[in-house]
Amino acid sequence: MPGVSDRLPVFPWDRLDPYRASAGAHPGGLVDLSVGTPVDPVPEVIRAALTAAADSPGYPTVWGTPALREAIAGWVERRLGARGVEHRHVLPVVGSKELVAWLPTQLGLGPGDRVAFPRLAYPTYEVGARLAGAEPVVYDEPTALDPAGLRLLWLNSPSNPTGRVLSPAELRATVAWAREHGVLVVSDECYLELGWEADPVSVLHPDICGGSFEGVVAVHSLSKRSNLAGYRAAFAAGDAAVLGELLAIRKHGGMMVPAPVQAATVAALGDDAHVAGQRARYQARRSALRTALTGAGFRIEHSEASLYLWATRDEPCWDTVAYLAGLGILVAPGDFYGPAGERFVRVALTATDERVAAAVERLRS
């Protein structure tokens, strides 16, 4: 009997193991710019909240505490510019990857349904479609899609891997088109706080959604902006009917954010200072790496936001991976994100200042 895993592509990161070994043999040690996992400390205000809530012997609720829902709703209004956000418009989730992977299944999608996502994209959008037995569909322009059977349309702005930011006009047109055809828009906005050469806008902003959340959901994560990848803290916001259905399903599935993490999330969303500090760290690393890469003959495309530089030497991506591994630098090959990335690599900004400085020195030599 075929297993569910037979529907899925090979886990891509395993293919990097030989290059990790090669890069790790460099006399100066490995500089890992591949996965994009945070390396800076969890802010003290968040750790204090987690510790204070450590004595939590009872079960948490799937919907979260009223304080958590209020913190999410308040942040969505304050930071995203959304209006009229009530508790029914928000839903905490156990990290955004979990939601992305299981959303098509929890929406009841299956054979005969289609799930669309950008041609260059986070691989879990496709994984989620395949887990549900739905058909994955890539697009260059979402409004050019055939709407027949299309149930779920993923947006990702700022993009992983390219760092591209969709303009307000593009977002407005996509939301209007999707509503006309009865397609749910889910916008992955996990890098929204990290705009460098552009100011990303949420689909929940009234200029985009017209002041109504109907047919629109945004997904946000605290992993990058607050160094909380290890906490699995994220949330969805938007259409109350969609989130209410997800809440009912997730109660049965026991998909609960741990109580101490809920308390930590409240603290994280209520403190903007640590976000500004972390943003400054990433901005300095980005500037140093971008200058070094272009000086070494790379071309950077898009990359106006997010935690990555989308770089190319106009050669097959695995040749570039091998070249950089010879310098002790590990990056992600662009074809992890779709065939259209086969001549690019994704360079993460998530390394310590010391390791970034080492990478810069090696690229200059």
Side-chain angles (χ1 to χ4, degrees):
M1 178 178 178
V4 174
S5 63
D6 292 340
R7 304 177 195 165
L8 307 180
V10 174
F11 188 65
W13 294 98
D14 293 342
R15 296 167 57 198
L16 264 186
D17 286 348
Y19 300 92
R20 180 181 297 277
S22 174
H26 190 277
L30 170 69
V31 179
D32 191 348
L33 306 178
S34 62
V35 177
T37 187
V39 297
D40 298 302
V42 173
E44 178 57 36
V45 65
I46 301 173
R47 284 187 281 167
L50 183 83
T51 301
D55 186 15
S56 298
Y59 289 113
T61 64
V62 172
W63 202 17
T65 62
L68 175 59
R69 299 196 299 269
E70 190 64 28
I72 296 172
W75 184 88
V76 169
E77 290 196 342
R78 184 180 80 252
R79 181 62 184 85
L80 305 185
R83 298 174 187 161
V85 183
E86 302 174 8
H87 287 205
R88 63 195 181 95
H89 296 124
V90 303
L91 179 68
V93 298
V94 191
S96 58
K97 183 171 186 176
E98 170 261 301
L99 180 70
V100 173
W102 293 107
L103 181 61
T105 297
Q106 292 176 5
L107 291 173
L109 274 58
D113 296 321
R114 301 163 70 229
V115 175
F117 46 86
R119 187 172 299 279
L120 278 167
Y122 182 46
T124 311
Y125 304 136
E126 178 181 356
V127 167
R130 293 190 180 280
L131 282 171
E135 178 189 354
V137 179
V138 298
Y139 66 78
D140 296 304
E141 164 53 56
T143 60
L145 285 163
D146 179 357
L150 185 61
R151 299 281 306 281
L152 173 60
L153 171 62
W154 282 104
L155 299 179
N156 181 208
S157 176
S159 163
N160 174 17
T162 68
R164 180 189 174 198
V165 173
L166 297 176
S167 70
E170 289 174 303
L171 291 170
R172 270 194 302 272
T174 300
V175 169
W177 178 88
R179 283 174 169 168
E180 178 185 351
H181 295 288
V183 178
L184 175 65
V185 172
V186 181
S187 179
D188 180 348
E189 301 175 353
C190 290
Y191 297 93
L192 185 136
E193 301 262 38
L194 299 167
W196 313 115
E197 298 161 8
D199 187 15
V201 179
S202 172
V203 293
L204 301 184
H205 193 285
D207 288 350
I208 307 303
C209 67
S212 166
F213 302 142
E214 181 183 356
V216 178
V217 172
V219 180
H220 284 266
S221 168
L222 280 71
S223 292
K224 307 301 194 286
R225 49 96 73 191
S226 297
N227 299 332
L228 294 187
Y231 283 45
R232 312 313 300 136
F235 61 87
D239 190 317
V242 173
L243 297 184
E245 176 67 9
L246 293 177
L247 175 60
I249 293 166
R250 293 167 70 86
K251 285 179 179 179
H252 285 288
M255 295 179 172
M256 302 173 284
V257 176
V261 175
Q262 293 190 27
T265 301
V266 172
L269 293 175
D271 179 73
D272 294 333
H274 78 274
V275 180
Q278 189 60 45
R279 177 184 165 84
R281 292 186 195 99
Y282 284 137
Q283 189 165 27
R285 294 166 186 166
R286 177 182 184 272
S287 177
L289 284 169
R290 183 174 189 132
T291 299
L293 285 165
T294 55
F298 284 81
R299 186 177 75 254
I300 308 297
E301 290 194 2
H302 293 300
S303 306
E304 58 261 32
S306 84
L307 281 182
Y308 313 105
L309 293 169
W310 188 237
T312 181
R313 297 205 310 169
D314 293 312
E315 65 183 4
C317 61
W318 286 98
D319 291 353
T320 308
V321 170
Y323 163 73
L324 289 172
L327 300 178
I329 301 169
L330 188 68
V331 299
D335 66 3
F336 277 10
Y337 308 94
E342 63 185 3
R343 298 179 74 82
F344 285 80
V345 294
R346 193 194 74 170
V347 183
L349 311 180
T350 50
T352 64
D353 292 342
E354 183 274 331
R355 289 289 82 190
V356 167
V360 168
E361 181 63 29
R362 295 173 195 180
L363 287 164
R364 287 176 174 168
S365 62

